[in-house]
Amino acid sequence: MKKIKRNHKKRSIIYKVLFIIIILSIFYSFTYSVKAGQNDSELVKNYTGHYVYVNFNNQDHGYNVIRYTMNNKTVYCIELGTDITSYTYNSTDDLQSSGLTEEQIKYIKLLSYYGYDYKDHNKNIKYYMATQELIWSYLNKNITFKWIESKTEPNNILNIETEKQDILNLIESHLKTPLIPENIKVKVGNSITIEDSNNVINNYYIEENKHLNTKIIDNNLIITPNNKHVGIVPIVIKEKEEYQDKSTLYYYDNSQKMISAGTIEPNAISSNVTIEGATIYFQKYDKDNNSNQRSGEAILYDAEYKVYDEYNNNIGLMVTNSSGLSTISGIPFGK
């Protein structure tokens, strides 16, 4: 009887341990998949002193122009007409939970990427206004904006068309890729300069260039073999990235949803570069007449010569023809 009780007690402990393991596994799995921080972001309002009238649903709505930030990141409102009811927000890099379509998310990420925090745009608050207007206009139809210096100066209009067009031009350039040939040939000892007719290569950097010295200057890709290798080698150029973090969605109950700028999928272009080796021409002469015309019993053809580089590596074999001529091609630059 005692043995039966001990076995029952042992099984009970095992079941409890298994139950705890299952609960912990579910908890950690849920935590990982959500990719969200609960109440981890504090909304900060940075008043600019400017004012904007937005007309939608056939009504004018006036707002103070405020540059919002979350955790020191500039954020943009994505729900026109929704109030901000909280200063504490949750965050997630799962932008699908915003309720926007995949296409909308992709374009808004581009607008925010090239918006206020792109390079030196943050020196001009108009870039924040322009980014916010472009986002709202993209997500809503029949909407107009009137930006003014301040509520007390309604006739002092702020024109942000230049900033809007600048952002749109940057997006247009992003959607283009450099026009670089898929196959490029260059001889050892030479360089080749390739001009990008799309005029966007200056936004790229060299990610892979084995056996090549490469650089991007202005609108040109310059390729120079390092002279120690012949054959086909790859070159990869990749678009520069402005941000290190992912785009983040900020949300809380019925409060306005906001999004911050982050990384976007960079374009990458690859080409094959054929490094063509040098060619050596070798002429065997008859020593008696110092020409390629044989005299007497001299034989000029089928003479074999092994060719070595300065490091004593055998790089090929030359065999003379009937005129005593032989060539060897595809050799690297050197002695």
Side-chain angles (χ1 to χ4, degrees), residues 66-253:
I66 303 171
R67 185 176 71 86
Y68 297 108
T69 59
M70 297 271 194
N71 305 331
N72 295 319
K73 294 180 181 179
T74 301
V75 294
Y76 304 98
C77 301
I78 61 174
E79 295 180 308
L80 183 63
T82 300
D83 292 333
I84 295 173
T85 61
S86 176
Y87 282 85
T88 303
Y89 272 70
N90 308 318
S91 69
T92 178
D93 59 21
D94 178 16
L95 303 188
Q96 298 287 348
S97 56
S98 64
L100 301 176
T101 66
E102 187 174 341
E103 182 181 356
Q104 289 174 328
I105 291 171
K106 185 177 181 179
Y107 193 69
I108 288 176
K109 285 177 69 175
L110 286 172
L111 288 172
S112 59
Y113 185 96
Y114 291 108
Y116 179 74
D117 285 326
Y118 182 76
K119 294 188 175 180
D120 60 350
H121 286 183
N122 57 12
K123 296 178 181 178
N124 183 356
I125 193 62
K126 287 185 177 181
Y127 276 104
Y128 183 78
M129 303 177 192
T131 308
Q132 186 63 79
E133 178 175 328
L134 288 170
I135 289 174
W136 272 338
S137 296
Y138 174 70
L139 293 176
N140 303 273
K141 296 180 179 179
N142 301 320
I143 178 175
T144 59
F145 294 82
K146 181 182 177 182
W147 303 87
I148 59 178
E149 187 67 38
S150 67
K151 195 173 183 180
T152 58
E153 301 175 84
N155 296 322
N156 195 347
I157 306 298
L158 293 175
N159 189 325
I160 63 170
E161 293 304 311
T162 298
E163 290 73 21
K164 284 166 55 180
Q165 193 58 52
D166 188 22
I167 294 171
L168 293 175
N169 289 342
L170 287 167
I171 292 175
E172 183 180 359
S173 293
H174 170 81
L175 296 176
K176 294 179 181 179
T177 54
L179 286 179
I180 303 300
E182 292 184 8
N183 296 290
I184 301 168
K185 291 184 179 181
V186 59
K187 292 182 179 294
V188 291
N190 294 338
S191 294
I192 185 171
T193 298
I194 300 171
E195 183 179 4
D196 170 32
S197 58
N198 269 347
N199 200 30
V200 295
I201 198 171
N202 203 40
N203 296 324
Y204 285 67
Y205 68 95
I206 310 295
E207 186 180 52
E208 182 181 350
N209 62 338
K210 190 176 181 181
H211 302 301
L212 298 168
N213 297 314
T214 52
K215 53 188 176 181
I216 295 173
I217 299 179
D218 297 329
N219 195 43
N220 299 307
L221 172 64
I222 303 172
I223 301 174
T224 306
N226 64 11
N227 297 328
K228 296 180 180 179
H229 183 86
V230 293
I232 299 176
V233 295
I235 179 174
V236 179
I237 61 173
K238 195 171 185 180
E239 193 173 19
K240 299 173 184 176
E241 294 184 68
E242 189 70 18
Y243 306 94
Q244 299 299 319
D245 301 328
K246 292 182 178 180
S247 294
T248 304
L249 173 71
Y250 300 91
Y251 63 97
Y252 189 83
D253 291 345

Side-chain angles (χ1 to χ4, degrees), residues 243-300:
Y243 306 94
Q244 299 299 319
D245 301 328
K246 292 182 178 180
S247 294
T248 304
L249 173 71
Y250 300 91
Y251 63 97
Y252 189 83
D253 291 345
N254 297 319
S255 193
Q256 169 76 237
K257 291 186 180 74
M258 303 184 185
I259 190 172
S260 66
T263 56
I264 51 180
E265 188 65 30
N267 296 314
I269 304 296
S270 61
S271 298
N272 287 324
V273 179
T274 300
I275 305 173
E276 298 180 332
T279 299
I280 292 178
Y281 297 89
F282 177 83
Q283 178 67 60
K284 181 176 173 63
Y285 286 97
D286 186 319
K287 69 175 183 178
D288 291 331
N289 59 25
N290 195 30
S291 75
N292 64 343
Q293 301 297 319
R294 72 186 185 90
S295 63
E297 297 181 354
I299 298 175
L300 299 179

Side-chain angles (χ1 to χ4, degrees), residues 47-66:
Y47 287 88
T48 66
H50 305 309
Y51 204 76
V52 60
Y53 287 101
V54 186
N55 185 283
F56 58 96
N57 296 331
N58 296 319
Q59 289 185 338
D60 277 334
H61 303 265
Y63 302 99
N64 288 307
V65 177
I66 303 171

